[in-house]
Amino acid sequence: MKWDWNAVGDFMPAFWHGLLVTLQALALGSLASFTLGLVWALLMRTPARWVRWPVGVVTEFVRNTPLLVQLFFLFYVLPEWGLAFSALTTGVVAIGLHYSTYTMQVYRAGIEAVPAGQWEAATALNLPRRRTWTAVILPQAVRRVVPALGNYVIAMLKDTPMLMVITVPEMLQQARLYSQQHFQFTEPITVIGAAFILISYLASLLMRALERRLVR
């Protein structure tokens, strides 16, 4: 099949719009997953069993349920209970919630890797518990887990095409709509495939640079 550069040019306006939506979903989903994952990790370290048990149940349920099922549930089922959100908001919530159960484990490993002497030093200095976490433990833990968190950013990027099932106009949805309207599939699908490769590569470079900066 002959490559049609005119089709590429015609597709580019839709592509740029889809790229913007994809990056928006990725950025907000990553922020949500990193923040919520840290909350889960801290709650799982509380001595209160009545806190740890429900958090453990919820995170295990979310982690063992497909993201696609969660998207359908949030977008099509919750409105029947009076909770309706825009398609993009629903997608961000689903991605953030789903991946927070994985980043929780990353944070947990990072916290447990902090040497016991750091806890003992904070206790010897009579630091308040909040100060111990914010000034001693978390800065060291986060430095250790940056590479793993970066891997999940790339994983979230690869899952953004799932948002098309709830009508989010991300890149794959734009390619699908263009292909259906113009009966040309090769060019738009190839363009978004190349875009995903490029974004993944740039994201990996950014995370490596951040990792080098943190370990100084």
Side-chain angles (χ1 to χ4, degrees):
M1 180 178 295
K2 186 177 179 181
W3 181 264
D4 189 350
W5 286 106
N6 291 328
V8 175
D10 292 341
F11 173 63
M12 291 312 293
F15 165 76
W16 290 120
H17 177 68
L19 176 62
L20 180 62
V21 173
T22 297
L23 294 178
Q24 185 178 1
L26 175 63
L28 295 176
S30 298
L31 179 62
S33 69
F34 294 163
T35 304
L36 191 55
L38 180 58
V39 172
W40 295 143
L42 294 178
L43 289 177
M44 288 296 290
R45 292 186 64 87
T46 60
R49 187 176 180 181
W50 63 271
V51 173
R52 289 185 285 109
W53 187 82
V55 170
V57 170
V58 170
T59 54
E60 282 295 323
F61 177 80
V62 173
R63 185 164 54 247
N64 290 284
T65 307
L67 175 58
L68 190 59
V69 174
Q70 295 168 12
L71 284 168
F72 275 110
F73 181 85
L74 292 175
F75 193 68
Y76 294 108
V77 178
L78 285 188
E80 297 182 1
W81 298 349
L83 296 174
F85 305 98
S86 68
L88 180 58
T89 300
T90 301
V92 169
V93 170
I95 289 177
L97 178 61
H98 184 80
Y99 276 94
S100 71
T101 61
Y102 294 97
T103 58
M104 175 191 74
Q105 299 296 338
V106 174
Y107 285 122
R108 181 189 59 78
I111 292 171
E112 292 180 353
V114 175
Q118 298 295 313
W119 296 91
E120 296 170 358
T123 302
L125 293 172
N126 199 29
L127 292 180
R129 185 171 181 82
R130 179 178 298 180
R131 181 68 174 168
T132 298
W133 278 104
T134 58
V136 180
I137 304 303
L138 289 181
Q140 297 183 62
V142 170
R143 289 191 186 97
R144 298 171 186 271
V145 302
V146 165
L149 293 179
N151 291 336
Y152 281 118
V153 171
I154 296 175
M156 281 183 267
L157 171 65
K158 294 177 181 179
D159 275 347
T160 55
M162 288 191 186
L163 302 186
M164 68 177 290
V165 302
I166 57 172
T167 71
V168 175
E170 46 72 53
M171 288 193 291
L172 184 59
Q173 175 77 329
Q174 296 289 358
R176 185 184 70 84
L177 293 175
Y178 178 88
S179 300
Q180 290 178 344
Q181 293 171 0
H182 299 84
F183 301 101
Q184 291 178 299
F185 296 87
T186 302
E187 291 81 6
I189 297 299
T190 302
V191 168
I192 67 166
F196 274 111
I197 294 173
L198 179 60
I199 297 171
S200 297
Y201 179 68
L202 292 177
S204 66
L205 291 180
L206 178 62
M207 297 309 298
R208 290 174 190 170
L210 180 60
E211 180 184 358
R212 288 194 296 269
R213 184 178 183 83
L214 289 175
V215 298
R216 287 178 181 176

